[in-house]
């Protein structure tokens, strides 16, 4: 973890997975709930979510996957993962990459996020990966605490730039 980070491993408590939580691969019938959860995570691009969810569902399962978590038949979380050829500070290729994860606030602190990450790790291991990576918005300290709580180490802080041509 970088010295400038204010997030510590102990700042987020994650309990073992509750008995009523089921984690599984996303299916076509999950599309509308998956879009709802994606919109909660990334509200800036709501119109993109249906197309991206459909692309995930029809994509190559050995390159990308989505796991969903449900409680009493209701989707309460998702984790989207992809294989990347490279990730900051990783030494191997490909790398399992946690592209996005979200758990409904009503289902948090029950081990749902940890179970989603564990499912993604197993998927990446099955495809020969020996490293996982992820990222977050630098201002999202809650996400930082979550990543540390599920075993990630902060690798690097990055500020990206763009310019119109």
């Amino acid at each position: 973890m970088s010295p400038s980070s204010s997030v510590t491993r102990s700042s987020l408590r994650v309990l073992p997975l509750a008995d009523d939580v089921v984690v599984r691969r996303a299916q076509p019938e999950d599309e509308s709930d998956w879009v709802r959860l994606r919109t909660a995570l990334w509200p800036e691009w709501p119109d993109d979510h249906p197309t991206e969810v459909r692309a995930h569902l029809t994509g190559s399962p050995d390159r990308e996957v989505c796991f969903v978590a449900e409680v009493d038949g209701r989707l309460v979380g998702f984790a989207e993962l992809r294989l990347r050829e490279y990730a900051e500070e990783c030494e191997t290729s490909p790398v399992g990459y946690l592209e996005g994860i979200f758990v409904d606030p009503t289902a948090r602190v029950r081990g749902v996020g940890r179970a989603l990450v564990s499912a993604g790790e197993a998927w990446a291991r099955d495809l020969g990966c020996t490293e996982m990576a992820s990222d977050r918005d630098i201002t999202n300290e809650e996400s930082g605490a979550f990543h540390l709580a599920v075993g990630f180490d902060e690798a690097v802080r990055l500020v990206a730039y763009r310019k119109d041509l």
Side-chain angles (χ1 to χ4, degrees):
M1 184 162 73
S2 77
S4 63
S5 175
S6 64
V7 178
T8 63
R9 286 197 190 281
S10 62
S11 63
L12 179 70
R13 189 171 157 214
V14 180
L15 300 176
L17 187 64
D19 291 336
D20 60 344
V21 179
V22 174
V23 173
R24 60 176 174 75
R25 283 185 185 230
Q27 301 297 315
E29 57 270 16
D30 300 322
E31 184 177 334
S32 63
D33 284 328
W34 184 3
V35 167
R36 172 183 55 81
L37 293 168
R38 262 180 145 252
T39 302
L41 178 60
W42 296 304
E44 307 84 25
W45 307 288
D47 296 337
D48 295 344
H49 299 312
T51 302
E52 291 175 4
V53 164
R54 279 186 224 108
H56 261 285
L57 289 167
T58 59
S60 173
D62 62 346
R63 297 298 303 168
E64 65 183 357
V65 68
C66 178
F67 290 97
V68 294
E70 61 183 9
V71 174
D72 298 327
R74 180 176 163 264
L75 257 57
V76 296
F78 76 93
E80 294 178 10
L81 299 104
R82 177 171 285 124
L83 290 187
R84 288 192 180 185
E85 295 306 311
Y86 167 81
E88 283 76 20
E89 300 298 314
C90 289
E91 297 176 1
T92 61
S93 181
V95 175
Y97 204 90
L98 180 61
E99 299 284 350
I101 185 165
F102 180 81
V103 176
D104 187 279
T106 63
R108 292 182 184 167
V109 195
R110 299 176 66 172
V112 174
R114 183 182 302 272
L116 288 165
V117 170
S118 292
E121 290 170 345
W123 171 80
R125 257 192 306 280
D126 286 349
L127 294 173
C129 295
T130 58
E131 293 178 286
M132 285 287 294
S134 186
D135 60 44
R136 67 171 174 99
D137 183 287
I138 200 163
T139 63
N140 189 341
E141 295 296 333
E142 183 178 11
S143 177
F146 170 78
H147 278 83
L148 293 174
V150 298
F152 283 94
D153 293 316
E154 185 173 303
V156 66
R157 291 206 170 215
L158 174 69
V159 176
Y161 295 90
R162 67 163 300 282
K163 182 178 182 178
D164 286 331
L165 299 179

